[in-house]
Amino acid sequence: MGTATKKTIQQLVSENSNYFQMAISVDCVIFGFDNNELKVLLIKSDLEEFHNEWSLLGDLVHLSENPDAASYRVLKEKTGLDDVFLEQVHTFGEVDRHPAGRVITIAYYSLIDIKHHKLKLSHNELHWHPVNEIHTMAFDHRKILSTCLEQLQSKVSEHPIVFNLLPEKFSLRELQTLYEAILGTKLDRRNFRKKFLMMNWLTDVNELEQNVTHRPGRLYRFKMRKHLQTTERKNAVAITY
Amino acid sequence: MGTATKKTIQQLVSENSNYFQMAISVDCVIFGFDNNELKVLLIKSDLEEFHNEWSLLGDLVHLSENPDAASYRVLKEKTGLDDVFLEQVHTFGEVDRHPAGRVITIAYYSLIDIKHHKLKLSHNELHWHPVNEIHTMAFDHRKILSTCLEQLQSKVSEHPIVFNLLPEKFSLRELQTLYEAILGTKLDRRNFRKKFLMMNWLTDVNELEQNVTHRPGRLYRFKMRKHLQTTERKNAVAITY
DNA sequence: CTATCATTGTGTAACTTTTACACATTGATA
DNA sequence: TATCAATGTGTAAAAGTTACACAATGATAG
């Protein structure tokens, strides 16, 4: 069976054996929110060539490992976290992007609550960096970070994912500051509050902020935990003004 | 120089040499519009295993070739076209997705005017298929097609890219039918026309449709050719109703 | 040459969403 | 007890979206 032009797998493999010489990695852009700033988790490069440069959390994908699984593994290994979502953003494969050979990397992003997930920040040279203050990075990681930030900006405008960056209870001011940090814009306070309260995503927990030097705001909790990991279209909502 | 924990590239390569055993491919989802239907360009699989199944246009990425370049090469080789845009959508890398080994594929989509670009459809088993009629495909290509279609749907709602699918001169009806085919919805004719004429993207070329059996519509041309290949945020516009 | 057909071309009013904007209230602090 | 820095709240104007109907046109068939 099969026409003269059809190939068996054996033929295909042997004809193309020289193509099976590339490596795949995953790189994770982990965003956090702290001190009114959007931050990203970086690690000191372990390559001499990039001595003193910061890089994303990444690793090579094993031969019998799916890329998504590899991204969760990286996150787990580097931070201990395994209850967060990771979403694929883009693949970077420029020929000369890695000094060790042809390594193509798949970029993922994730959002975590810095305060709640106390990382084992000790063992590694692992640190949170304000996104706005990062200018150079190892490899093409600066570009990857920019692409993921753009992705984050467009996602938060349509889906209720920012709650992943906040503690369980938060004030509307914290929420607004977070949107402003991500989008890089100022938002109108009254309209912002109106919109979110209309949306019916929040439960008023009947508590007030602590340790603020001014009138404390009410605290809210995000209603639908199950939506935290999804970005379904039906939850889409534009955050404007 | 370098601390005890820093690695040289030589160390890195030798430690990880077993990872350099994967192949990367690109797969192109080429959309066209004909006979009021959204179509996609497919080729008969050249693998015996997928005898009689249709597959996307793809090829392995060469060792010293960038993925984007590979996607343009594939398109050029298979169709002769080189003046269209291709945009990366998603990377598919399930361990068992390819019978010949670990092949991770980067999916791209493109939009072309079927009538204008007369393909060399002869040499290969290359054909246009209505997107709605494709149920099974080789490899995981059905999934890739779905993902690219979703991407197309969200892109056309925000950017003026559909013009790539149309001949230079077209009627508002053709334009509307195209949107309906892509989005899978019916749109209100009066509102649609109003919106596009408001948008100021079209020039009235002062000609009428030919060969229609009813009152002919006016023909328009898309104003900004330079926007054809871009999907910049500033051109964003929602196509509603 | 006339009637029929299928489709084009056009406007308005109701509704919804977005935007701009100011002042009294609260709790912490000195 | 006054001051401070923020919270909490409503409304009106503007912009955008939706729903909807009828005359005009060119092709075609008798």
Side-chain angles (χ1 to χ4, degrees):
Chain A
M1 71 187 96
T3 70
T5 58
K6 298 279 177 193
K7 291 172 187 168
T8 63
I9 291 159
Q10 287 70 29
Q11 285 174 314
L12 190 76
V13 173
S14 66
E15 282 174 20
N16 294 294
S17 61
N18 55 322
Y19 286 105
F20 286 84
Q21 294 178 232
M22 304 194 193
I24 311 288
S25 64
V26 291
D27 280 300
C28 302
V29 178
I30 313 298
F31 291 109
F33 181 61
D34 186 35
N35 195 229
N36 293 348
E37 283 179 307
L38 186 65
K39 297 191 174 174
V40 63
L41 192 55
L42 302 180
I43 192 169
K44 272 276 175 68
S45 174
D46 59 354
L47 253 188
E48 208 175 53
E49 171 147 353
F50 293 114
H51 181 61
N52 267 337
E53 299 265 38
W54 294 95
S55 67
L56 298 169
L57 277 55
D59 196 11
L60 293 170
V61 176
H62 300 330
L63 261 180
S64 56
E65 181 182 46
N66 289 337
D68 288 357
S71 70
Y72 282 101
R73 174 176 57 77
V74 164
L75 195 62
K76 176 74 176 174
E77 284 175 4
K78 299 284 206 289
T79 70
L81 301 178
D82 59 7
D83 58 344
V84 299
F85 79 93
L86 277 157
E87 184 171 302
Q88 189 192 122
V89 175
H90 197 85
T91 294
F92 297 81
E94 298 286 302
V95 169
D96 57 0
R97 63 171 293 284
H98 199 294
R102 191 69 196 272
V103 183
I104 284 171
T105 199
I106 309 175
Y108 290 78
Y109 83 98
S110 183
L111 306 178
I112 77 175
D113 168 16
I114 292 185
K115 296 275 174 52
H116 180 249
H117 299 287
K118 268 299 168 203
L119 308 176
K120 11 177 182 167
L121 287 182
S122 44
H123 75 13
N124 269 317
E125 299 184 87
L126 195 61
H127 294 282
W128 288 102
H129 298 254
V131 168
N132 289 329
E133 294 173 14
I134 303 165
H135 299 110
T136 63
M137 293 179 70
F139 308 97
D140 51 0
H141 286 189
R142 188 63 189 80
K143 176 122 198 277
I144 295 177
L145 172 57
S146 296
T147 302
C148 287
L149 178 57
E150 283 166 24
Q151 172 85 342
L152 174 62
Q153 290 173 336
S154 85
K155 284 282 173 183
V156 299
S157 298
E158 300 208 306
H159 305 278
I161 59 172
V162 296
F163 302 103
N164 291 287
L165 289 161
L166 292 171
E168 189 172 352
K169 300 170 185 177
F170 51 87
S171 67
L172 288 178
R173 154 144 293 272
E174 288 175 285
L175 186 60
Q176 179 176 345
T177 311
L178 172 52
Y179 269 97
E180 292 176 338
I182 293 174
L183 299 175
T185 58
K186 278 287 174 195
L187 304 176
D188 179 274
R189 192 162 58 92
R190 273 189 286 189
N191 292 337
F192 182 87
R193 299 167 71 87
K194 203 185 338 176
K195 184 138 193 169
F196 266 89
L197 295 177
M198 289 259 114
M199 219 70 100
N200 208 29
W201 284 343
L202 304 179
T203 309
D204 184 337
V205 297
N206 271 307
E207 291 176 47
L208 297 180
E209 285 180 291
Q210 301 292 323
N211 306 321
V212 286
T213 175
H214 52 74
R215 175 176 178 181
R218 305 178 78 76
L219 295 181
Y220 295 83
R221 184 201 317 274
F222 182 50
K223 264 182 186 161
M224 325 171 228
R225 279 272 140 192
K226 58 189 160 190
H227 284 183
L228 285 177
Q229 312 222 359
T230 77
T231 53
E232 289 169 50
R233 185 123 194 103
K234 65 179 175 187
N235 296 324
V237 65
I239 306 298
T240 50
Y241 40 90
Chain B
M1 71 185 102
T3 69
T5 58
K6 298 280 178 192
K7 291 172 185 168
T8 62
I9 291 159
Q10 287 70 29
Q11 285 174 314
L12 189 77
V13 173
S14 67
E15 282 175 19
N16 293 295
S17 61
N18 55 321
Y19 286 106
F20 286 84
Q21 293 178 232
M22 304 194 193
I24 311 288
S25 64
V26 291
D27 280 300
C28 302
V29 177
I30 313 298
F31 291 109
F33 181 60
D34 187 35
N35 196 231
N36 293 348
E37 284 180 308
L38 187 65
K39 297 191 173 174
V40 63
L41 192 56
L42 303 180
I43 192 168
K44 272 275 175 67
S45 174
D46 59 354
L47 252 189
E48 207 174 54
E49 172 148 352
F50 293 115
H51 182 61
N52 266 338
E53 300 264 38
W54 294 95
S55 68
L56 297 169
L57 278 54
D59 196 11
L60 293 170
V61 177
H62 300 330
L63 261 180
S64 57
E65 180 182 47
N66 289 338
D68 288 357
S71 69
Y72 282 102
R73 174 175 59 76
V74 164
L75 195 62
K76 176 74 176 174
E77 285 175 4
K78 298 285 206 290
T79 70
L81 302 178
D82 59 6
D83 57 345
V84 299
F85 80 93
L86 277 156
E87 184 172 303
Q88 190 193 123
V89 175
H90 197 84
T91 294
F92 297 82
E94 297 288 301
V95 168
D96 58 0
R97 61 172 296 282
H98 199 294
R102 191 69 196 273
V103 182
I104 283 171
T105 199
I106 308 175
Y108 290 77
Y109 84 99
S110 183
L111 306 178
I112 76 174
D113 168 16
I114 292 185
K115 295 275 173 51
H116 181 250
H117 300 285
K118 268 298 168 206
L119 308 175
K120 13 177 183 168
L121 287 183
S122 44
H123 76 14
N124 268 318
E125 299 184 88
L126 195 61
H127 294 281
W128 288 103
H129 298 255
V131 168
N132 289 329
E133 295 173 13
I134 303 166
H135 299 109
T136 62
M137 293 178 70
F139 308 97
D140 52 358
H141 286 189
R142 188 64 190 77
K143 176 120 199 279
I144 295 176
L145 172 57
S146 296
T147 302
C148 287
L149 178 57
E150 283 166 25
Q151 172 85 345
L152 174 61
Q153 289 173 335
S154 87
K155 283 282 174 184
V156 300
S157 298
E158 300 208 307
H159 304 279
I161 59 171
V162 295
F163 302 103
N164 292 286
L165 289 162
L166 292 171
E168 188 172 353
K169 300 171 186 177
F170 51 86
S171 67
L172 288 177
R173 155 145 292 272
E174 288 176 284
L175 186 60
Q176 180 175 345
T177 311
L178 172 52
Y179 269 98
E180 292 177 338
I182 293 174
L183 299 175
T185 58
K186 278 286 174 194
L187 304 175
D188 179 275
R189 193 161 58 91
R190 274 189 285 190
N191 293 337
F192 182 86
R193 299 167 70 87
K194 202 186 339 174
K195 184 136 190 170
F196 266 89
L197 295 177
M198 289 259 114
M199 219 68 101
N200 207 30
W201 283 344
L202 304 179
T203 309
D204 183 339
V205 297
N206 271 306
E207 291 175 48
L208 297 180
E209 284 180 291
Q210 301 291 324
N211 307 319
V212 285
T213 175
H214 52 74
R215 176 177 178 181
R218 305 180 76 78
L219 295 181
Y220 295 84
R221 186 202 315 275
F222 182 51
K223 263 184 186 160
M224 325 172 228
R225 280 271 140 192
K226 59 190 159 189
H227 284 183
L228 286 177
Q229 311 222 1
T230 78
T231 52
E232 290 169 47
R233 186 125 192 102
K234 65 178 175 185
N235 296 324
V237 65
I239 306 296
T240 49
Y241 37 89

